[in-house]
Amino acid sequence: MYRTLAQRYPDAHCELDHRNPFELLVATVLSAQSTDVGVNKVTPAVFARYPDAHALAAADREELEALIRPTGFFRAKATSLLGLSAALVERFDGEVPASLARLVELPGVGRKTANVVLGDAFGVPGITVDTHFGRVSRRMGWTSEEDPVRVEHAVGALIPRAEWTALSHVLIFHGRRTCHSRRPACGACPVARWCPSAGLGPTEPAAAWKLLTDVPPPGTVPPPATMVGS
């Protein structure tokens, strides 16, 4: 199933814009209860004003809150960003550590955020269990666990460690583009034949294609009726 999904989403990647580990860490904290698109609209101004941990640790709270307000929960996020930046300056000379144990010690940084940073900024394999990853892995029958850490360990036991970061992107892409929470596009899903949850959404290709939020690579999903024989 993973190999098939990887062919369906050959460009699966982290959709948070960043240029270095610090920017990715900040963007990931801001992405909680927000969309990557929304975060990407905010971070250019944030990074221009606070280019590193030293600058962010010295930020004026009101100014920071005003910049990140569109991402929601801006007061709590400001607290996390100020706290983690101060911790980076005090403990790591302003540099983001490439260690899960050290990352999760930072204020507002959990395993999900840490694995995003490790995988995409440092090349350290990690599984990022967000809402999409958890939903898709349960629907496909890979695990019945609800707790994100247990999901991480259960799925990690099925897939080689070297693939964990790519796997995370592929399943998140699938959750955002095809396997939606309310109406999954089952009739346009490349792994429906193996999926125990197939049928939760429309199974006719023509109806399912209308639910897709991207254009699939040719030959990777069942074509809608209007394309058959064309």
Side-chain angles (χ1 to χ4, degrees), residues 93-186:
D93 196 28
E95 298 297 320
V96 178
S99 160
L100 178 65
R102 290 180 174 180
L103 281 169
V104 297
E105 291 178 355
L106 299 173
V109 178
R111 289 184 68 91
K112 183 187 81 170
T113 297
N115 278 325
V116 170
V117 174
L118 289 173
D120 291 289
F122 294 110
V124 178
I127 292 178
T128 303
V129 183
D130 70 350
T131 55
H132 300 292
F133 189 102
R135 178 180 70 254
V136 170
S137 61
R138 283 187 291 273
R139 281 183 176 173
M140 294 194 304
W142 290 11
T143 181
S144 59
E145 299 288 354
E146 294 284 344
D147 178 75
V149 176
R150 291 185 176 182
V151 171
E152 178 186 339
H153 292 319
V155 175
L158 302 175
I159 304 294
R161 186 173 184 271
E163 297 290 329
W164 286 357
T165 300
L167 167 74
S168 300
H169 294 319
V170 166
L171 261 63
I172 290 170
F173 261 52
H174 190 52
R176 288 175 173 170
R177 290 155 175 76
T178 304
C179 195
H180 312 301
S181 59
R182 295 186 179 180
R183 293 192 72 206
C186 294

